[in-house]
Amino acid sequence: EVQLVESGGGLVQPGRSLKLSCAASGFTFSDYAMAWVRQAPKKGLEWVATIIYDGSSTYYRDSVKGRFTISRDNAKSTLYLQMDSLRSEDTATYYCARHITIAAMGYFDYWGQGVMVTVSS
Amino acid sequence: DTVLTQSPALAVSPGERVTISCRASESVSTLMHWYQQKPGQQPKLLIYLASNLESGVPARFSGSGSGTDFTLTIDPVEADDTATYYCQQSWNDPTFGGGTKLELK
């Protein structure tokens, strides 16, 4: 059974940093691209970043470029999101998702339960 | 970015057929996917590449469309289908529609 378990969320002040983790199990982690997708309170879904299977390429939405870094440790089957210079508009539940990158940017077939990040003073 | 537009809400009775629409601001070919999100839960993939049913998803769900206009159909609707449904395109950087909240009468 595929499982994705996020951790590392919490309350952080604007301008500070936070690092999210996602522990994967139930599949060969190193075979798949992975992504972070977020959802602001009572709002819709928003893709944040994707990393391909071996970590050699990464993709970001414009609003987080230069502030967020997606990375992975295939030996530990773990995905990360380093978030720097956080803003109030980054407040959201962050989901880790397996990203099936066939046909361009593809789709997300498994999702974690999500972790809440609140950026506030 | 490709903008996806969905109707905000629908209300139907159990046993009826419901169609949820998604319109793209530009052609995305068949690179459209559908998710179901129940309150307090993570999204769940229902349909990929416009019309392919994800493994384990009931055959009551189906998808169609190409270019700019897409449809998710649930027939017949069951009480457990109360949720918000999102479309997502992958023609370029992934974007999601605003979601359609399905309520049962």
Side-chain angles (χ1 to χ4, degrees):
Chain A
E1 178 192 6
V2 171
Q3 287 200 326
L4 300 170
V5 180
E6 303 94 338
S7 61
L11 174 63
V12 61
Q13 293 179 329
R16 304 298 291 264
S17 299
L18 202 62
K19 187 172 186 176
L20 305 182
S21 299
C22 170
S25 61
F27 65 103
T28 304
F29 183 72
S30 58
D31 283 349
Y32 290 88
M34 297 295 295
W36 291 97
V37 178
R38 68 185 179 184
Q39 186 171 34
K42 304 296 184 185
K43 298 294 185 182
L45 300 165
E46 185 174 81
W47 168 75
V48 175
T50 289
I51 185 167
I52 69 168
Y53 71 103
D54 63 355
S56 61
S57 292
T58 57
Y59 307 88
Y60 299 92
R61 68 178 301 103
D62 286 347
S63 62
V64 307
K65 281 179 185 175
R67 299 190 300 122
F68 289 12
T69 302
I70 188 171
S71 62
R72 64 191 298 158
D73 184 336
N74 284 347
K76 295 182 178 179
S77 296
T78 302
L79 176 72
Y80 303 101
L81 185 67
Q82 175 68 44
M83 303 185 292
D84 299 324
S85 303
L86 281 161
R87 306 168 180 167
S88 58
E89 55 264 37
D90 297 318
T91 294
T93 295
Y94 285 73
Y95 294 101
C96 165
R98 193 170 79 170
H99 195 164
I100 304 300
T101 53
I102 61 169
M105 287 299 277
Y107 53 92
F108 311 99
D109 67 342
Y110 286 95
W111 300 62
Q113 284 284 102
V115 62
M116 185 68 199
V117 172
T118 303
V119 184
S120 175
S121 54
Chain B
D1 285 2
T2 303
V3 176
L4 303 180
T5 302
Q6 298 182 244
S7 298
L10 286 171
V12 298
S13 299
E16 291 185 346
R17 177 177 183 268
V18 65
T19 58
I20 297 171
S21 63
C22 176
R23 174 162 287 177
S25 60
E26 60 182 317
S27 176
V28 298
S29 183
T30 57
L31 302 183
M32 185 66 74
H33 323 288
W34 290 93
Y35 302 85
Q36 175 194 64
Q37 186 178 33
K38 297 181 179 180
Q41 295 187 17
Q42 71 270 51
K44 174 187 175 183
L45 177 67
L46 299 175
I47 300 287
Y48 62 95
L49 297 173
S51 61
N52 294 276
L53 190 68
E54 173 70 351
S55 177
V57 174
R60 303 183 292 104
F61 293 87
S62 63
S64 63
S66 65
T68 61
D69 292 298
F70 298 85
T71 298
L72 173 70
T73 300
I74 311 172
D75 186 15
V77 170
E78 297 183 356
D80 187 53
D81 299 333
T82 298
T84 299
Y85 293 84
Y86 293 94
C87 55
Q88 175 243 319
Q89 63 80 25
S90 57
W91 180 257
N92 43 39
D93 283 356
T95 54
F96 293 85
T100 297
K101 187 173 184 179
L102 180 65
E103 296 179 339
L104 268 64
K105 298 177 184 175

